Structures are given as C-alpha cells and as structure tokens.
Amino acid sequence: MALPARLTAALGRHPDDLTEDDLQRAVDNQIPEGVDLDWKKDFYQGTDAGKKELAKDVSAMANTVGGLLVIGIDDGKKDHAHALAPFEPDPRRGEEWIRSVLANCIQPVVPNVGVRSLKSADEGKIYWILTVPPSTQMPHAVAMPGNDYNFRVHVRHGTTTRTLAESEIAQRYRDRFHAASADTDRLQDVLTAGHEHLKTHVRTPPAGRTRSTWEPFWISVAAVPTVRGNRALTTQQERTAALDRFAKLADQAVTSFMQPDHPALVGRRQVRFEGDPTGQLHQDGSFYAALILELADQPPGSSPKRLYQRGLELYLVTQVQAAAAWAVETGAGGDLMLSAQIHRFDDGITPVRLVVSERHLERGPAGPIPRVPAQTTANLTALATDKHEAVITAYTLAADLFADMGTHQPYLLTPEGDIHLDRLNNDYRSSLTGW
C-alpha cells in the first residue's frame, strides 16, 4: 500500500509490518504526530458519536496525504507517542464493525483502508492499526443523516483535524475532475509514445527481411497510475537496474511471456526495450508493452487467418500484472488506468477469425482487427497483490476486444478471476509460472 515515505523512515519499517516492539521504540523516541500519523489511546465507542469520530479520522487522512492511525498509544496530551496503552478487544467491535462504519459513514467510500489488530505481550490485549492510502477520489465527506456531521469534509491540519469551508470543498472537487482529465491525457501520451516506439521497431528490417510482414500482429497494454510514482531513470546504470528489476517482477506473473531483452535502451525519463516484448517503463510508473500475436493459416495460404483466443487472453493477464508490478516498484498508488489494443502492421485489410482452439476453428465470424482500444480502471494494490484481480481486469479488456470481433466472451478467463486450466494445451500449460 502506498503511504507517505516519512512513516517508514520514522517507524523503522513499513506500517503493514509493525510489531509491538516497533511501537515501543516509537514511544522511546517520542515520535510526534503529524498530518500522516495519529496516536490514539482509546478505541472508538459503539455509539453514533464514536462512529462519527472514526469516520472523521479516516476521511481526514484520506483527504490529505494518507497515513496511519494507531489505536492503543497514549500521546500524553503532548502530540507524540508517550506510552503503550493496549486494551481488551470488544467482540462486537472488531474488523467487520470498523469496515462497516467506514462503508456506511463516508461518501464516497475511502478505498483500500488497511485494518488489522496487533496482539500485545500484555495477555488478552491488542492494538488496532489502520492504514489509509492517499485517495484520488477526495473529497470524502462524513455523511450521517440527521446530525451536524452531515456531509462535513475534514482534513488533517498538523496534529489536529479541521473542517473545510464551502469554497475549499468546491476547490477539492475541481481538483478531482482536473486530475481525472490529466490522467486520461497522460494515458493517451503513453499510448502514443509506445505505439510510435513499436512501429519503429516493427518496421526496422531484421537481417534483410521486412519485420512488418514477418511479425505483423501485436497486442499492447498501456497503463498509468492515478497516484504517480518516482524512480530515477536518467543514467544508463539506473535504466539497466530498472530493467533488471522489472524482469524479475515480470517473472512472477502468471506466465513467462513478459521477459524483455537486454540491453536497456535510452529514453527521456524512461527505459525502453525491443524484441518480444517491446515496451517502455516510465519514471512515474506508467507502462507500455506489446507482445507478438501468432496467427495460423490452416491450410497454409488460406484466408482468413486464425487468431487464437487462448494466447491473447494469457498475454493480457501477464501484461496487466507486469504493468501493476512496475507501477508499485516506482512508488505509485491509487488506481491503474489500462488500455489494450491489437495492432497490425502488414497494411492488410483481410479479416481475421477469432477461434478458441484448433478443434473449434469456425467459432465466431471473420472480421477486421478492432481499431478502438479497450480500457478499464482497477485498484493498483489489488492488482499487484492478487492474481485473481489481474485475471478479472484482463477479462474486462479481452471481453471488449472480442466483442468488436464478434465473440461473446473470453474462453480461458472468468469474470470471477479464475482460469480454465482444462482448456489449455500442453504448450500453454507449460508457460504457466504463477498459477
């Protein structure tokens, strides 16, 4: 989960990994509260007032820079960690209760709040640790009808929380809409730059041949995180290290298809690579990569050529996973905007038949390659940590592309995030590395 880097530096480790010993060191070092850190002695009451307070604290952090709420630390009224104060848990107010309050009392809901209890050495007692990621959907309002908290918008202000005035709320909404427009523009920039790079690579003749007739069909995925990352990519050493790291991350995907060739190629605040795959890794966590699509003609020279759904679907899952892994590597967060497109470089207009396997050659009508990209948005943390989320996202992209080609739905992928392994032949099954 993307959180302010200051927290990890101050606490000695990522907030997701904190132990009671870490909390004790925070007390010993008198680590102060801030816009991204709130020590709380007592757990929230089960009353309306307690629910409002919980919703206010979480929404205020999401409306600022994100951060950490640790419940069970006494600040001694001095705005710093003063003493450990673990407490006995209430079985009626556990994780489910916390998530229910956040879901019902904040609009829009703050996505991906981390909620976990931490056992204390003091037997039977616990702490609660809430991690609040920075949000791209702010402002988040505390919304409890029938009271003075109805649609109040709060932010962290130093070590306290304050309520925004109407004019400030209006500016936050303008910022949200502007950010959404900027993300769309950024995705288009990444698409354009990536496609130009791909065209240059494809149309460079290898060993006297014309690659555009040798490798005419490609599937590309472009991605932009809504909370940008920042990884230095301005020297050869930095680009080489980034490409090496990306190769290791991509090797953890569902398949082994996303392995870039070396050496790393230069680009402005990016590292580029050519071959199969061809792509660009941007400093801010944006991503573009294209893979060769194999078409079959049976018998040779027959028309239309056949494009197998199975390979294309597995390619999409792997590209989605690789895009998410790179974004997280740069420190990006929020959502990941994705765009998938099929390309042809043989200047041909002959139709292509989409088929599910060698035994089902006539499935679906023959048609042109779709010209409009398929696009979707998914939570970056979920994509990076759960392969099923990557399958769901790839399913969405594939379904749109296939619909344009006259096919109802993907063949291997399911909307629940599973893969029909029984529908894979030995070649595809052998390519699976992480399923």
Side-chain angles (χ1 to χ4, degrees), residues 47-353:
T47 61
D48 282 349
K51 295 176 182 177
K52 298 172 196 172
E53 189 70 15
L54 171 57
K56 183 181 75 171
D57 289 344
V58 169
S59 64
M61 234 164 223
N63 286 333
T64 312
V65 294
L68 184 69
L69 277 75
V70 181
I71 307 163
I73 301 291
D74 185 0
D75 70 356
K77 300 187 183 300
K78 297 179 180 178
D79 297 330
H80 64 69
H82 178 71
L84 299 183
F87 49 88
E88 294 183 358
D90 185 335
R92 299 165 300 177
R93 291 182 289 127
E95 179 178 347
E96 185 176 348
W97 180 84
I98 294 172
R99 293 195 181 280
S100 176
V101 170
L102 299 182
N104 293 322
C105 301
I106 301 176
Q107 294 187 11
V109 174
V110 178
N112 307 306
V113 175
V115 179
R116 73 178 179 105
S117 60
L118 174 63
K119 290 184 179 180
S120 170
D122 191 347
E123 188 173 353
K125 296 186 176 181
I126 65 168
Y127 307 86
W128 280 107
I129 298 178
L130 276 61
T131 49
V132 184
S135 176
T136 58
Q137 300 176 30
M138 59 182 178
H140 298 273
V142 176
M144 296 186 67
N147 59 75
D148 62 354
Y149 277 76
N150 190 24
F151 280 92
R152 293 288 185 93
V153 176
H154 307 276
V155 294
R156 293 285 293 174
H157 183 70
T159 61
T160 63
T161 297
R162 74 175 184 89
T163 304
L164 292 183
E166 182 181 13
S167 60
E168 293 175 301
I169 295 173
Q171 183 59 52
R172 293 295 180 103
Y173 278 113
R174 286 193 290 269
D175 290 344
R176 182 206 286 182
F177 299 140
H178 175 74
S181 176
D183 291 338
T184 301
D185 291 344
R186 176 60 179 153
L187 182 60
Q188 186 57 52
D189 289 343
V190 172
L191 274 170
T192 301
H195 190 44
E196 289 300 316
H197 174 49
L198 178 62
K199 285 195 298 184
T200 300
H201 167 66
V202 169
R203 289 175 175 166
T204 301
R209 289 188 286 181
T210 303
R211 186 180 265 121
S212 61
T213 56
W214 179 39
E215 298 168 346
F217 290 86
W218 297 69
I219 175 71
S220 72
V221 168
V224 169
T226 55
V227 178
R228 306 286 196 271
N230 186 15
R231 171 161 181 161
L233 294 174
T234 55
T235 69
Q236 182 178 2
Q237 182 179 11
E238 290 168 345
R239 293 186 180 99
T240 299
L243 190 60
D244 289 343
R245 176 62 176 160
F246 172 71
K248 291 180 180 179
L249 293 170
D251 197 41
Q252 299 169 15
V254 165
T255 75
S256 57
F257 295 140
M258 186 58 67
Q259 284 300 306
D261 291 338
H262 287 64
L265 304 177
V266 67
R268 180 183 290 187
R269 298 184 181 180
Q270 64 180 254
V271 55
R272 299 182 298 126
F273 47 94
E274 292 180 351
D276 185 18
T278 289
Q280 299 173 328
L281 307 173
H282 296 264
Q283 178 174 304
D284 66 358
S286 300
F287 168 96
Y288 180 94
L291 288 163
I292 297 171
L293 289 175
E294 300 291 346
L295 274 74
D297 47 358
Q298 298 175 348
S302 64
S303 182
K305 289 184 179 293
R306 299 178 175 98
L307 172 61
Y308 294 115
Q309 286 185 225
R310 294 180 303 187
L312 194 154
E313 291 175 37
L314 289 178
Y315 284 179
L316 282 174
V317 177
T318 304
Q319 287 169 293
V320 168
Q321 288 182 292
W326 173 250
V328 170
E329 178 69 15
T330 67
D335 292 332
L336 192 66
M337 300 175 60
L338 298 118
S339 178
Q341 188 171 11
I342 301 174
H343 310 275
R344 67 183 302 169
F345 294 101
D346 59 355
D347 299 321
I349 58 175
T350 55
V352 172
R353 188 185 303 283

Side-chain angles (χ1 to χ4, degrees), residues 374-421:
Q375 297 188 346
T376 191
T377 300
N379 176 260
L380 176 55
T381 301
L383 286 179
T385 58
D386 187 347
K387 59 189 176 184
H388 295 281
E389 289 293 332
V391 171
I392 293 170
T393 300
Y395 176 95
T396 301
L397 295 170
D400 285 348
L401 291 174
F402 293 166
D404 288 347
M405 300 181 72
T407 297
H408 288 292
Q409 63 194 46
Y411 179 63
L412 291 180
L413 313 181
T414 75
E416 295 76 31
D418 294 318
I419 298 177
H420 290 297
L421 298 180

